[in-house]
Short mmCIF file of all heavy atoms in Angstrom, two decimals:
data_model
loop_
_atom_site.label_atom_id
_atom_site.label_comp_id
_atom_site.label_asym_id
_atom_site.label_seq_id
_atom_site.Cartn_x
_atom_site.Cartn_y
_atom_site.Cartn_z
N ILE A 4 -65.53 227.10 -26.27
CA ILE A 4 -65.68 227.40 -24.84
C ILE A 4 -64.46 226.84 -24.14
O ILE A 4 -64.19 225.64 -24.23
CB ILE A 4 -66.99 226.80 -24.29
CG1 ILE A 4 -68.18 227.47 -24.98
CG2 ILE A 4 -67.06 226.95 -22.77
CD1 ILE A 4 -69.54 226.92 -24.57
N THR A 5 -63.73 227.71 -23.46
CA THR A 5 -62.41 227.30 -22.97
C THR A 5 -62.12 227.86 -21.57
O THR A 5 -62.48 229.00 -21.27
CB THR A 5 -61.33 227.74 -24.00
OG1 THR A 5 -60.04 227.43 -23.50
CG2 THR A 5 -61.40 229.22 -24.32
N GLY A 9 -55.02 230.70 -16.78
CA GLY A 9 -53.77 231.46 -16.85
C GLY A 9 -54.00 232.95 -16.65
O GLY A 9 -53.13 233.66 -16.14
N LYS A 26 -55.99 234.75 -33.70
CA LYS A 26 -55.17 233.89 -34.57
C LYS A 26 -55.88 232.56 -34.83
O LYS A 26 -55.90 232.07 -35.97
CB LYS A 26 -53.81 233.65 -33.90
CG LYS A 26 -52.86 232.77 -34.67
CD LYS A 26 -52.22 233.49 -35.82
CE LYS A 26 -51.14 232.63 -36.47
NZ LYS A 26 -50.73 233.20 -37.75
N GLY A 32 -60.64 229.87 -40.04
CA GLY A 32 -61.34 230.48 -41.16
C GLY A 32 -60.68 230.20 -42.49
O GLY A 32 -61.34 229.97 -43.50
N ALA A 40 -68.19 232.32 -32.06
CA ALA A 40 -67.84 233.01 -30.83
C ALA A 40 -66.84 232.17 -30.04
O ALA A 40 -66.81 230.94 -30.18
CB ALA A 40 -69.08 233.26 -29.97
N GLY A 51 -64.28 229.47 -7.76
CA GLY A 51 -65.61 228.87 -7.71
C GLY A 51 -66.63 229.56 -8.58
O GLY A 51 -67.82 229.61 -8.24
N CYS A 54 -68.56 229.93 -14.57
CA CYS A 54 -68.24 229.79 -15.99
C CYS A 54 -67.13 228.77 -16.26
O CYS A 54 -66.93 228.37 -17.40
CB CYS A 54 -67.92 231.15 -16.61
SG CYS A 54 -66.64 232.14 -15.86
N PRO A 57 -66.20 222.14 -15.43
CA PRO A 57 -67.44 221.58 -15.99
C PRO A 57 -68.72 222.31 -15.62
O PRO A 57 -69.80 221.81 -15.93
CB PRO A 57 -67.45 220.17 -15.39
CG PRO A 57 -66.82 220.33 -14.05
CD PRO A 57 -65.73 221.36 -14.28
N THR A 64 -74.55 230.85 -21.65
CA THR A 64 -74.36 232.15 -22.32
C THR A 64 -74.46 231.99 -23.83
O THR A 64 -75.11 232.79 -24.51
CB THR A 64 -72.99 232.75 -21.94
OG1 THR A 64 -72.96 232.93 -20.52
CG2 THR A 64 -72.76 234.08 -22.62
N ILE A 66 -76.03 229.65 -25.49
CA ILE A 66 -77.43 229.35 -25.81
C ILE A 66 -78.23 230.65 -25.85
O ILE A 66 -79.00 230.90 -26.78
CB ILE A 66 -78.01 228.35 -24.79
CG1 ILE A 66 -77.38 226.97 -25.01
CG2 ILE A 66 -79.53 228.30 -24.86
CD1 ILE A 66 -77.65 225.98 -23.88
N GLY A 80 -64.68 217.57 -27.08
CA GLY A 80 -63.60 217.91 -26.17
C GLY A 80 -62.73 216.71 -25.89
O GLY A 80 -63.07 215.58 -26.25
N ASP A 81 -61.60 216.97 -25.25
CA ASP A 81 -60.68 215.87 -24.95
C ASP A 81 -60.68 215.49 -23.48
O ASP A 81 -59.85 214.69 -23.05
CB ASP A 81 -59.26 216.19 -25.45
CG ASP A 81 -58.63 217.36 -24.73
OD1 ASP A 81 -59.31 218.02 -23.91
OD2 ASP A 81 -57.45 217.63 -25.00
N ASP A 85 -64.87 218.88 -20.24
CA ASP A 85 -65.29 219.63 -21.42
C ASP A 85 -66.66 219.17 -21.90
O ASP A 85 -67.45 219.97 -22.39
CB ASP A 85 -64.29 219.44 -22.57
CG ASP A 85 -62.94 220.04 -22.27
OD1 ASP A 85 -62.87 221.03 -21.53
OD2 ASP A 85 -61.95 219.49 -22.80
N LYS A 90 -73.30 217.82 -22.35
CA LYS A 90 -74.16 216.64 -22.18
C LYS A 90 -75.33 216.96 -21.27
O LYS A 90 -76.46 216.55 -21.53
CB LYS A 90 -73.33 215.48 -21.59
CG LYS A 90 -72.46 214.79 -22.62
CD LYS A 90 -71.37 213.92 -22.02
CE LYS A 90 -71.80 212.98 -20.94
NZ LYS A 90 -70.64 212.17 -20.45
N GLY A 93 -78.06 218.56 -23.12
CA GLY A 93 -78.71 217.84 -24.21
C GLY A 93 -77.90 217.68 -25.48
O GLY A 93 -78.40 217.14 -26.46
N LYS A 95 -75.10 216.12 -28.03
CA LYS A 95 -74.38 214.88 -28.22
C LYS A 95 -72.91 215.15 -27.92
O LYS A 95 -72.39 216.23 -28.19
CB LYS A 95 -74.52 214.38 -29.66
CG LYS A 95 -75.89 213.79 -29.97
CD LYS A 95 -75.83 212.99 -31.26
CE LYS A 95 -77.12 212.24 -31.50
NZ LYS A 95 -78.18 213.11 -32.04
N GLY A 102 -55.90 213.83 -25.66
CA GLY A 102 -55.36 214.34 -24.41
C GLY A 102 -54.90 213.21 -23.52
O GLY A 102 -54.67 212.10 -23.98
N GLU A 105 -58.49 209.25 -20.67
CA GLU A 105 -59.62 209.43 -19.77
C GLU A 105 -60.40 208.12 -19.79
O GLU A 105 -60.78 207.64 -20.85
CB GLU A 105 -60.51 210.58 -20.25
CG GLU A 105 -59.84 211.92 -20.15
CD GLU A 105 -60.47 212.79 -19.07
OE1 GLU A 105 -61.62 212.57 -18.70
OE2 GLU A 105 -59.76 213.70 -18.60
N VAL A 108 -65.38 207.78 -19.68
CA VAL A 108 -66.04 208.98 -20.18
C VAL A 108 -67.16 208.53 -21.10
O VAL A 108 -66.92 207.85 -22.09
CB VAL A 108 -65.06 209.88 -20.96
CG1 VAL A 108 -65.80 211.07 -21.56
CG2 VAL A 108 -63.94 210.36 -20.05
N ALA A 110 -69.47 209.04 -23.93
CA ALA A 110 -69.60 209.91 -25.09
C ALA A 110 -70.40 209.17 -26.15
O ALA A 110 -70.45 207.94 -26.16
CB ALA A 110 -68.22 210.29 -25.63
N TRP A 123 -67.33 212.55 -38.25
CA TRP A 123 -68.46 211.82 -37.65
C TRP A 123 -69.67 212.72 -37.53
O TRP A 123 -70.79 212.33 -37.83
CB TRP A 123 -68.05 211.26 -36.28
CG TRP A 123 -69.13 210.41 -35.67
CD1 TRP A 123 -69.41 209.11 -35.96
CD2 TRP A 123 -70.09 210.83 -34.69
NE1 TRP A 123 -70.48 208.69 -35.21
CE2 TRP A 123 -70.92 209.72 -34.42
CE3 TRP A 123 -70.32 212.02 -34.00
CZ2 TRP A 123 -71.96 209.77 -33.49
CZ3 TRP A 123 -71.36 212.08 -33.09
CH2 TRP A 123 -72.16 210.96 -32.85
N PRO A 134 -73.82 227.90 -38.74
CA PRO A 134 -74.23 228.12 -37.34
C PRO A 134 -75.71 227.77 -37.17
O PRO A 134 -76.51 227.97 -38.07
CB PRO A 134 -74.00 229.62 -37.13
CG PRO A 134 -73.94 230.21 -38.49
CD PRO A 134 -73.48 229.13 -39.43
#
Side-chain angles (χ1 to χ4, degrees):
I4 296 177
T5 176
K26 179 77 173 168
C54 55
T64 300
I66 289 168
D81 65 354
D85 294 330
K90 282 164 48 179
K95 286 196 173 78
E105 293 249 338
V108 176
W123 184 80

